[in-house]
Amino acid sequence: MASRARLVIGICVGLMGAGVLPLAAANLVPEGNRNAEQPPIPGVSAKRTKSAQTTYDAKYGKVYQLLKNDSGLVSKIRTISTRYQIDPVHVVGAIVGEHTYNVDAYDRLQTYYVKAISYLKSDFSFSHGGESVGQFIKRSEFAECEKEKGSYELWSCREAVWDKSFRGKSVDGTEWPNDRFGAVFFQPFYAGQTFGIGQLNPLTALKMTDMVHKVSGFRRINHDNPQEVYQTIMDPDKSLAYVAATVKKSISAYKRIADFDISGNPGITATLYNLGNPEARASRLAAENRIRRAKGQRIKFPEENYYGWLVNDKLDELKALFHDS
């Protein structure tokens, strides 16, 4: 018996030395909503819906019918989700949330392809006050970001520099808007505008371009060619890959930073798709839970916002889309 115990200990020590002992599993976030009632919907969403003389239920019904009636679209979502190793209901949740609380879905998928082509012929730039974003990020404040190698890390760094050094501040005699980096430089038609079936904004697409290039093989997009950026996020075949990549990044961030596995809760991934900055949000949650543990309190689980709450509330319907596809 003693020799057997020594053998087991020896194996464990050997595995530890080799660095192959499995880490403790992340806390699994179960399906369903943590909030009994839907959290408040922002006023801008209510205003947009009212001005269009429609309702949230009508908008949800419209995008759901688009998905239900287009088996080809559902098949694309399934295939792309498999490639990014996520459940396809996460991608559907992002699409449904955006078109319920942002803009109406088009009646036919073909309309998105037509719109994608039109942007290649449009004349616009990523700029603010006559300064292109390419010129802007050459300022000394952004020098620290040049060490970043990946598109996600690079543009996340630049976004953080914007928030720290420019947002709402006066710099070199210029008053900079107190608004998101993506809204100021990357939405030349009007702030808050997003595009395509995934309602992506260009900055998010620029962040995800390396992952999409690696997994899907699409050509990387660049801030110096805004027409191609917009065409990419309007083209469903490409846009769906960017949606899947964005969801995948959120799942990875919460597991790595906050020790939560959110891959089984589409309402949480939809919430992060809506809010953005998953690393910062995961870091805040991790910090809060360190304090809770130190006090002997239960850890706090991720919670859905109004957008993610709808996705979890409609989860059975959304899953049913894939039963026969």
Side-chain angles (χ1 to χ4, degrees):
M1 181 68 71
S3 61
R4 183 180 299 174
R6 285 194 295 271
L7 176 62
V8 171
I9 293 170
I11 291 172
C12 289
V13 170
L15 288 174
M16 288 176 68
V20 295
L21 271 183
L23 296 174
N27 295 288
L28 180 65
V29 180
E31 277 190 4
N33 287 314
R34 307 282 79 81
N35 295 289
E37 297 183 356
Q38 185 176 28
I41 300 171
V44 65
S45 178
K47 183 178 179 180
R48 183 185 297 119
T49 301
K50 184 178 180 180
S51 66
Q53 297 183 327
T54 185
T55 65
Y56 297 128
D57 286 342
K59 291 166 76 176
Y60 170 80
K62 188 173 181 179
V63 66
Y64 187 81
Q65 287 304 311
L66 170 65
L67 292 159
K68 185 177 181 180
N69 296 335
D70 194 330
S71 59
L73 172 57
V74 172
S75 180
K76 287 178 189 288
I77 292 171
R78 183 193 293 277
T79 299
I80 288 171
S81 298
T82 298
R83 194 166 292 155
Y84 285 83
Q85 300 180 317
I86 60 174
D87 191 314
V89 76
H90 290 289
V91 174
V92 166
I95 292 170
V96 164
E98 284 295 331
H99 286 92
T100 299
Y101 297 111
N102 193 351
V103 299
D104 270 339
Y106 290 121
D107 293 316
R108 297 183 308 119
L109 190 64
Q110 185 61 30
T111 307
Y112 290 99
Y113 290 106
V114 173
K115 289 283 188 180
I117 294 171
S118 71
Y119 280 109
L120 289 175
K121 304 174 183 177
S122 301
D123 182 21
F124 58 89
S125 63
F126 291 149
S127 60
H128 176 77
E131 182 175 7
S132 73
V133 72
Q135 295 170 319
F136 183 66
I137 58 178
K138 289 178 181 177
R139 290 173 179 242
S140 60
E141 288 88 347
F142 294 95
E144 64 186 85
C145 299
E146 295 308 309
K147 68 180 186 296
E148 305 294 349
K149 302 301 181 183
S151 62
Y152 189 87
E153 292 75 17
L154 178 61
W155 284 105
S156 294
C157 178
R158 288 168 174 169
E159 187 175 29
V161 170
W162 161 263
D163 285 336
K164 176 184 176 181
S165 302
F166 293 94
R167 182 172 179 170
K169 294 181 170 64
S170 177
V171 181
D172 297 330
T174 300
E175 297 288 337
W176 294 100
N178 185 17
D179 204 347
R180 296 173 294 108
F181 189 37
V184 175
F185 275 95
F186 295 95
Q187 294 171 343
F189 302 108
Y190 59 87
Q193 189 179 27
T194 48
F195 294 87
I197 193 163
Q199 286 298 288
L200 288 158
N201 69 62
L203 181 55
T204 298
L206 287 166
K207 288 181 179 180
M208 304 312 307
T209 192
D210 276 358
M211 184 190 292
V212 172
H213 172 73
K214 180 180 179 180
V215 178
S216 295
F218 297 142
R219 189 169 79 171
R220 290 181 176 89
I221 54 176
N222 189 282
H223 62 278
D224 289 327
N225 190 344
Q227 286 74 23
E228 185 180 26
V229 174
Y230 271 56
Q231 188 273 338
T232 296
I233 59 182
M234 280 301 299
D235 182 336
D237 294 332
K238 296 176 182 177
S239 182
L240 289 171
Y242 277 86
V243 175
T246 303
V247 171
K248 179 74 171 181
K249 178 61 72 173
S250 293
I251 292 173
S252 299
Y254 265 67
K255 183 173 288 187
R256 173 172 51 87
I257 299 171
D259 196 33
F260 282 109
D261 181 355
I262 60 174
S263 63
N265 192 307
I268 300 299
T269 57
T271 295
L272 295 169
Y273 189 86
N274 173 237
L275 297 175
N277 298 318
E279 278 86 359
R281 297 180 191 283
S283 295
R284 287 196 291 269
L285 182 59
E288 181 176 349
N289 280 331
R290 283 193 292 271
I291 295 173
R292 284 174 172 268
R293 288 190 182 95
K295 293 180 177 179
Q297 299 173 345
R298 289 184 178 181
I299 61 172
K300 180 180 179 180
F301 273 58
E303 293 185 5
E304 69 286 341
N305 69 350
Y306 69 99
Y307 178 118
W309 193 95
L310 171 81
V311 172
N312 278 340
D313 190 54
K314 303 288 188 181
L315 194 55
D316 289 342
E317 286 184 15
L318 300 183
K319 286 183 174 181
L321 292 167
F322 298 97
H323 289 172
D324 300 319
S325 64

